[in-house]
Amino acid sequence: MNDEAFTSTQHAPGLRARLVVLVLAVLIPAVMTAGLLMWTVYRQQRQSVERQMTETARALSLVVDREIGQKEVLLEALASSPYLLTNDWAAFDAQARQATRRGDTWVVVFDADGLQRVNTRLPLGAPLPKGAGRAPGLTWSQTDNGRMQVSNVFHGSVAKEYIVSFNVPVERPNARPLILAAGATASSFGQVWMDQHFPQSWTGTIADARNVVVSRSRNDDGMVGRSASPVMAEHIRRQLSGVAETTTLDGVPSVTAWSRSPDYGWAFIVAAPRSEIAGQARQSLFWGVALGAAFLGLGAILAIYAARSFAKPVERLAAAALAWTEKRPPAPFPTGTREIDALAAALSEAGTKVADQRAELLNLNASLEVRVAERTRELAEATENLAQAQKMEAIGRLTGGVAHDFNNLLMAVLGNLDLLSRRLTEPRHLRYVDQARAAGERGAKLTGQLLAFSRRQRLEVKAMDIGEAVGAAAALLRSTVGAAHRLEVEVAPDLWPAFGDATQVELMVVNLALNARDAMGAGGVVAIAASNVTIADRAPRGEAPSVGDYVMIAVSDTGEGMTPEVVARVFEPFFTTKPVGKGSGLGLPQVLGLAKQLGGGVEIDTAPGQGSTVRVYLPRAEALGGLESAGEIAPDAAILKGVRVLLVDDDVRVRSVTAQMLQDLGCRVSLAESGEQALERMREDSDLRAALVDFAMPGLSGGETAVGLRWERPDFPVVIMTGYADLEELAETWSGPVMHKPFSMLDLARQMARVISE
Ligand SMILES: Nc1ncnc2c1ncn2[C@@H]1O[C@H](COP(=O)(O)OP(=O)(O)OP(=O)(O)O)[C@@H](O)[C@H]1O
Ligand SMILES: [Mg+2]
């Protein structure tokens, strides 16, 4: 993994943080909405309470209005009493007592001087107080049109308690006016609270125009006569009715509603403890906040837990995936989350693939070195084999060329010796000639071996029984090898027929067996075996056979074996480890040349001190026979008598010796140095019966010359002579009879007699 990318992701928020944020993102607005709702509910509750209080305050004012109205009605009724016109105080007293007999109201009459004339509060006939004076707060005057006035609360001198006075002026046509007053105790207003069923905790207060308490629904001990708080007084002064937060006289923080009577200035106040109103809402608000916090906490915990349940398997997965780059992944473990399971499965699969590929790569790497080493070795071997092959080919061409020239020379030498021996009669001279011929023939054999190596020897190839050739060779070897060593021959019973030249194959087996013998001290074993073999793989060495079916001849010994250096050179002509005069170094090259010319190959299996096995492979043939050489015909020198033969050869020595041979056979010879000259002679001389033409010539080759001659005269008998240098080219251009140099006069007589007689 990229280090930089990895470190940069370490600072990124984790799954837990993200989930907590998610939960908070959902919960916080929810909690806020709930809080808002609660706040709204609180507001509505408070508003409804305030409305209720306002209404209560107004209702209170109406009740008190009615009370006061009753006083007014009473006073107005009494004001029309005739006794007042006549100052009949006793009669009025009686009337007034009659009118107020129920209830707690009493009647007082003041004259213009302010003296009491009647007072029903006192017992009948009791002396009236002198200086009681008028009730406080009365602003009554002439201009007030006789309407009733309500006094403020005051401590009555007669009643000895707080009272309120209601006054009406009474105009008299013939006398000075009077004041008719109705008195009522402040406590009489307490009845009002009985009618108002407001909650226990609320406090109702009736205050006079000076904001002095007249009556109070609860805790009115000592309150009556006290002034309302300045704050409250200020509220009442400013507005006829309203709601405000104040503190009651007994020091309770409250929400207060008030209503003031515009007629007589009294105020009706309803106070509810703030703790009660706010309490409810605050409580719900508290619970809301508490629950919200709890939900938030719970949500966060759940989120963390959920994140753990995601993060744990993901972390495990990440750790596992990292480990998987090192080793093969185990089967994916269940994480409890479908997507993560799928991820794990996918990762595991990828891991498996990576592991497989890694293993493959490792294998490849491991085998690569081996393969490189193998290939390097193969390459070196191939290069060496190629070099070896090129060397052998060069040697082959060289030896082929040398052999060709040698054959021409030997042709001249042996041909002339042949001619000489026919003309000599002295036995001593004939012995010299015979020795010279023997040496020449040894030379011819040597060139034959060289030609065999360069795969240019004349072979009479046919499908043959290899077992037969091996048997024949073994018979030859019994005396040479079998004396000092044990000779074992084993021929597989169902041996395939194979292509070969019987003489050459026999020679080859003898060659190999002699090599085996030479490698062993006394008492060794030479084993010759022939068997069927199928080669499936081409061996790298050039000598080895290619793929196919073969009959194999294996010659093994228990001798000294060969070092690799010797093995590398044994197929080179003239390579020998034997002392001078013992080995020519042409045995194995000849074996290889033969095998290759037949389309097979050779293998050597040896090591120093381990003995050697040389295996020769000859290609399998379908059936025995075929390709048989033409049988010998008896020489009939008579046929050649007087026959005119055209001899064509660029080599003057070969030309003269061959011409002499033909003349000795009775032929008349016409000579030509080249193919062109030969065609000229052909046109001039209609006597010509046959032609003997050398193959390798400058200008027209022997083959071309033969074609030219037959173009002049179809079926004209032509024999081609060759020194072997160009056997392949010859085979391509010429299918007629061939004479291989050096040839004897006998050979020449047979060949010429055959072509002429045909
Ligand atoms: N069976 C064998 N065991 C050990 N060395 C062998 C064997 N066959 C061949 N050699 C080695 O290979 C060399 C070449 O053998 P090759 O047959 O070509 O030539 P040569 O035997 O030396 O001479 P010649 O031409 O007489 O056969 C030998 O000199 C010998 O060192
Ligand atoms: Mg040999």
Side-chain angles (χ1 to χ4, degrees), residues 15-278:
L15 211 53
R16 275 169 224 189
R18 284 182 194 282
L19 264 178
V20 169
V21 166
L22 182 71
V23 166
L24 293 185
V26 172
L27 275 182
I28 286 176
V31 168
M32 277 171 72
T33 308
L36 206 68
L37 271 172
M38 276 173 199
W39 173 251
T40 311
V41 168
Y42 165 71
R43 286 291 305 252
Q44 280 175 352
Q45 262 183 13
R46 184 170 164 163
Q47 276 170 3
S48 109
V49 169
E50 284 176 357
R51 209 176 312 119
Q52 201 183 336
M53 285 167 71
T54 309
E55 275 162 14
T56 306
R58 195 157 298 144
L60 211 57
S61 94
L62 288 177
V63 170
V64 173
D65 273 358
R66 202 185 62 220
E67 288 278 308
I68 293 172
Q70 282 171 1
K71 306 283 191 260
E72 194 166 19
V73 167
L74 172 74
L75 287 179
E76 270 169 12
L78 289 175
S80 59
S81 168
Y83 307 120
L84 290 179
L85 294 177
T86 55
N87 288 342
D88 191 348
W89 308 120
F92 185 78
D93 187 296
Q95 193 184 10
R97 280 180 197 274
Q98 177 64 34
T100 60
R101 68 181 178 283
R102 282 175 305 164
D104 43 10
T105 309
W106 65 93
V107 174
V108 179
V109 177
F110 297 93
D111 65 12
D113 299 323
L115 293 172
Q116 288 190 6
R117 289 302 177 186
V118 176
N119 190 334
T120 61
R121 175 78 181 191
L122 297 168
L124 195 64
L128 297 166
K130 284 275 184 318
R134 273 164 56 189
L138 293 178
T139 56
W140 183 77
S141 71
Q142 297 291 147
T143 58
D144 251 353
N145 225 357
R147 283 210 55 209
M148 187 179 78
Q149 285 195 335
V150 181
S151 79
N152 290 320
V153 69
F154 62 98
H155 204 264
S157 54
V158 175
K160 303 284 186 274
E161 61 177 314
Y162 280 99
I163 57 174
V164 176
S165 168
F166 305 90
N167 303 292
V168 170
V170 179
E171 301 291 335
R172 293 187 296 184
N174 302 320
R176 294 171 68 191
L178 298 169
I179 300 258
L180 186 61
T185 57
S187 58
S188 70
F189 287 95
Q191 187 60 43
V192 173
W193 311 123
M194 304 295 145
D195 302 340
Q196 295 297 312
H197 304 290
F198 53 69
Q200 282 274 305
S201 55
W202 289 15
T203 306
T205 305
I206 300 169
D208 67 12
R210 293 168 308 159
N211 300 322
V212 172
V213 175
V214 178
S215 179
R216 209 158 180 265
S217 66
R218 36 198 297 273
N219 294 345
D220 63 345
D221 281 352
M223 289 295 178
V224 176
R226 271 182 66 177
S227 288
S229 69
V231 179
M232 193 64 234
E234 183 60 23
H235 281 308
I236 295 168
R237 192 183 66 76
R238 281 193 181 174
Q239 275 180 299
L240 276 180
S241 66
V243 179
E245 291 202 357
T246 58
T247 305
T248 61
L249 283 174
D250 20 22
V252 180
S254 303
V255 174
T256 309
W258 73 89
S259 180
R260 186 155 59 90
S261 162
D263 289 343
Y264 44 90
W266 280 22
F268 305 94
I269 304 164
V270 175
R274 212 157 58 199
S275 61
E276 188 185 295
I277 300 174

Side-chain angles (χ1 to χ4, degrees), residues 528-540:
I528 305 173
S531 58
N532 297 332
V533 169
T534 298
I535 304 285
D537 296 310
R538 174 88 167 86

Side-chain angles (χ1 to χ4, degrees), residues 511 515 578 587-588:
N511 245 325
N515 275 355
K578 293 170 187 171
L588 287 176

Side-chain angles (χ1 to χ4, degrees), residues 585-653:
L586 284 171
L588 287 176
Q590 209 181 335
V591 168
L592 176 65
L594 175 69
K596 281 286 171 192
Q597 197 174 345
L598 289 171
V602 182
E603 269 178 2
I604 295 180
D605 192 359
T606 183
Q610 303 288 306
S612 311
T613 300
V614 181
R615 300 189 185 90
V616 180
Y617 298 84
L618 301 176
R620 177 186 183 177
E622 283 313 312
L624 291 170
L627 288 173
E628 291 235 40
S629 63
E632 295 278 293
I633 57 156
D636 188 356
I639 291 183
L640 299 173
K641 276 269 178 309
V643 169
R644 189 151 177 81
V645 174
L646 175 62
L647 174 64
V648 190
D649 199 317
D650 60 315
D651 189 317
V652 64
R653 289 160 301 187

Side-chain angles (χ1 to χ4, degrees), residues 645-648 672 674-685 688-694 697 700-720 734:
V645 174
L646 175 62
L647 174 64
V648 190
S674 67
E676 290 82 353
Q677 223 176 44
L679 293 180
E680 239 169 72
R681 297 269 183 286
M682 184 72 174
R683 263 173 253 131
E684 293 163 357
D685 192 344
L688 289 172
R689 289 282 310 280
L692 184 60
V693 186
D694 186 35
M697 289 186 296
L700 288 177
S701 75
E704 288 161 345
T705 309
V707 171
L709 294 175
R710 288 201 167 165
W711 194 76
E712 291 289 333
R713 238 189 279 171
D715 301 330
F716 186 73
V718 179
V719 175
I720 298 278
W734 182 246

